[in-house]
């Protein structure tokens, strides 16, 4: 398989000095019996070196198989998975992690995340992640869907500051305040649903910017994230889009156009609100 070496500008150094590729392929809702292997192979061929899965996506076995059959060395690929809500708590998180690790069939997971904060068990869950990190089973630990108040509670009660906060983020939910706060704490933000699941396609600003830069809506939006210092994990099973979404490192948006995209913010979620999704 064709192998592309990532340049330094395509990676970010996390708060524990681990390097993480800024671009990853998200595999939510990709069925491991159908599109998963082709999708991962295509992504690796196009230079992606970061794969975002989760226990709840029910495709960790397929992710592990696809990585093995790709021929790309394991150490070149950054694998993220997440502990699901039902497994919160110290012992149950350790068990869930071991199951994920076996399913993916690797010795070490690169990034292990708490999928949702929920109501009141995330500190206990975080203790388990800290143990896994200290024992070398994961190279970095982090969270998803954490608001500033969740992070403040977590940090004040823990020894390790999360390396990553993966949250819904796109031009209509720019997460400006959270992003700034994370920068100050040394937490890398990662955008899920980075293209708002394709819903920004016909927005006049993106049609105009597509003409200015000779790039598609997806490329403009993904580039906006990258220039904001935010990692992205776009999902696609379509080979042409997997390729398109990777071609975001060869152009630059002007400061003015970055601001125009940021001004689209409506604080509009398409996914669940972490403060409402209490389990
Ligand atoms: N931590 C969390 O709670 C959480 C929640 C949601 C998602 N995630 C992660 O984030 C990843 C991405 O988020 P997402 O799947 O919600 O949203 P997304 O990546 O913004 O959008 C995916 C959708 O956009 C389409 N698409 C892909 N590339 C496109 C392009 N160039 N032009 C037009 N449409 C395009 C895809 O269609 P095709 O596949 O048909 O090409 C798919 O329908 C997930 O796979 C998952 O790994 C995490």
């Amino acid at each position: 398989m064709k192998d592309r070496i990532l340049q330094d500008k395509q990676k970010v150094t996390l708060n524990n000095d681990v390097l993480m590729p800024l671009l990853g392929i998200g595999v939510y809702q990709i069925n491991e019996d159908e599109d998963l292997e082709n999708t991962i192979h295509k992504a690796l061929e196009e230079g992606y070196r970061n794969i975002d899965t989760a226990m709840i996506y029910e495709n960790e076995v397929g992710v592990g198989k696809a990585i093995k059959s790709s021929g790309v060395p394991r150490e070149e690929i950054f694998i993220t998975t997440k502990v699901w809500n039902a497994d919160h708590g110290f012992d149950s998180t350790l068990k869930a992690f071991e199951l994920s690790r076996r399913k993916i069939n690797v010795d070490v997971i690169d990034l292990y995340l708490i999928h949702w904060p929920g109501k009141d068990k995330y500190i206990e869950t975080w203790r388990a992640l800290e143990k896994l990190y200290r024992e070398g089973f994961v190279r970095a630990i982090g969270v998803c869907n954490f608001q500033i108040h969740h992070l403040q509670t977590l940090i004040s009660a823990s020894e390790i500051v999360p390396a990553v906060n993966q949250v819904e983020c796109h031009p209509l939910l720019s997460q400006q305040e959270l992003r700034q706060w994370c920068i100050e704490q040394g937490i890398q933000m990662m955008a899920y649903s980075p293209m708002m699941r394709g819903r920004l396609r016909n927005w006049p600003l993106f049609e105009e910017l597509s003409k200015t830069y000779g790039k598609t809506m997806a490329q403009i939006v993904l580039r906006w994230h990258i220039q904001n210092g935010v990692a992205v994990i776009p999902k696609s099973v379509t080979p042409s889009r997997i390729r398109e979404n990777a071609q975001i490192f060869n152009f630059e948006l002007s400061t003015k156009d970055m601001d125009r995209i940021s001004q689209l913010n409506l604080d509009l979620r398409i996914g669940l609100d972490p403060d409402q999704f209490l389990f």
Side-chain angles (χ1 to χ4, degrees):
M1 178 166 289
K2 195 165 42 172
D3 200 51
R4 296 195 183 151
I5 306 293
L6 289 187
Q7 295 172 9
D8 285 350
K9 65 177 183 178
Q10 297 173 14
K11 291 182 184 165
V12 64
T13 306
L14 301 179
N15 61 11
N16 63 350
D17 288 338
V18 164
L19 283 178
M20 181 181 81
L22 279 164
L23 170 70
I25 182 97
V27 299
Y28 177 47
Q29 290 179 328
I30 307 185
N31 188 309
E32 63 183 357
D33 298 324
E34 292 165 18
D35 298 316
L36 188 65
E37 185 172 47
N38 287 340
T39 298
I40 289 178
H41 285 187
K42 177 66 181 167
L44 292 171
E45 193 184 311
E46 293 301 334
Y48 295 68
R49 287 294 180 273
N50 184 340
I51 301 173
D52 182 79
T53 185
M55 169 77 89
I56 197 71
Y57 300 170
E58 295 185 341
N59 57 16
E60 290 172 306
V61 171
V63 167
K65 282 186 183 164
I67 289 172
K68 281 227 159 58
S69 62
S70 73
V72 176
R74 160 69 187 100
E75 58 275 15
E76 270 192 30
I77 303 172
F78 191 93
I79 305 173
T80 300
T81 193
K82 316 180 186 96
V83 53
W84 183 238
N85 309 344
D87 293 316
H88 269 235
F90 186 80
D91 290 334
S92 38
T93 295
L94 294 179
K95 272 190 206 140
F97 173 79
E98 191 49 26
L99 192 58
S100 285
R101 195 172 72 98
R102 284 194 192 167
K103 283 183 170 180
I104 302 172
N105 196 12
V106 287
D107 295 330
V108 173
I109 296 288
D110 295 283
L111 177 62
Y112 197 46
L113 302 174
I114 298 181
H115 209 143
W116 287 91
K119 204 160 86 189
D120 52 12
K121 272 164 87 178
Y122 59 86
I123 303 281
E124 227 186 291
T125 305
W126 187 249
R127 296 265 175 281
L129 267 66
E130 288 183 318
K131 177 177 162 68
L132 292 166
Y133 176 70
R134 288 203 183 93
E135 291 179 357
F137 290 105
V138 286
R139 295 176 63 228
I141 52 177
V143 295
C144 303
N145 298 301
F146 271 47
Q147 311 271 49
I148 292 175
H149 69 90
H150 296 118
L151 287 165
Q152 282 170 326
T153 306
L154 183 77
I155 291 170
S156 64
S158 319
E159 287 177 13
I160 302 178
V161 174
V164 169
N165 186 18
Q166 184 187 108
V167 293
E168 181 182 337
C169 182
H170 42 70
L172 301 196
L173 180 68
S174 64
Q175 301 272 26
Q176 169 69 22
E177 194 191 346
L178 177 62
R179 185 167 62 86
Q180 194 50 45
W181 196 86
C182 284
I183 290 171
E184 285 159 18
Q185 304 298 319
I187 301 171
Q188 173 62 42
M189 212 163 96
M190 181 186 270
Y192 76 72
S193 305
M195 301 161 310
M196 213 182 163
R197 300 197 168 146
R199 289 179 211 183
L200 295 165
R201 220 165 316 175
N202 300 319
W203 278 68
L205 177 59
F206 294 114
E207 288 184 353
E208 181 204 317
L209 295 180
S210 289
K211 285 186 196 131
T212 309
Y213 291 93
K215 290 283 180 179
T216 65
M217 169 282 293
Q219 290 167 330
I220 304 267
V221 171
L222 294 172
R223 181 71 208 178
W224 170 78
H225 285 292
I226 297 289
Q227 282 185 221
N228 274 333
V230 174
V232 288
I233 45 168
K235 173 261 173 187
S236 179
V237 292
T238 314
S240 59
R241 288 173 169 175
I242 295 171
R243 183 182 174 79
E244 176 186 329
N245 297 345
Q247 298 186 348
I248 55 173
F249 294 103
N250 57 359
F251 75 109
E252 194 160 333
L253 297 167
S254 69
T255 309
K256 182 168 158 249
D257 290 333
M258 286 289 294
D259 288 344
R260 290 171 78 202
I261 299 172
S262 300
Q263 280 162 18
L264 295 177
N265 180 46
L266 295 171
D267 290 332
L268 183 73
R269 285 181 192 278
I270 53 168
L272 294 164
D273 181 337
D275 284 323
Q276 307 293 327
F277 187 39
L278 305 175
F279 48 86

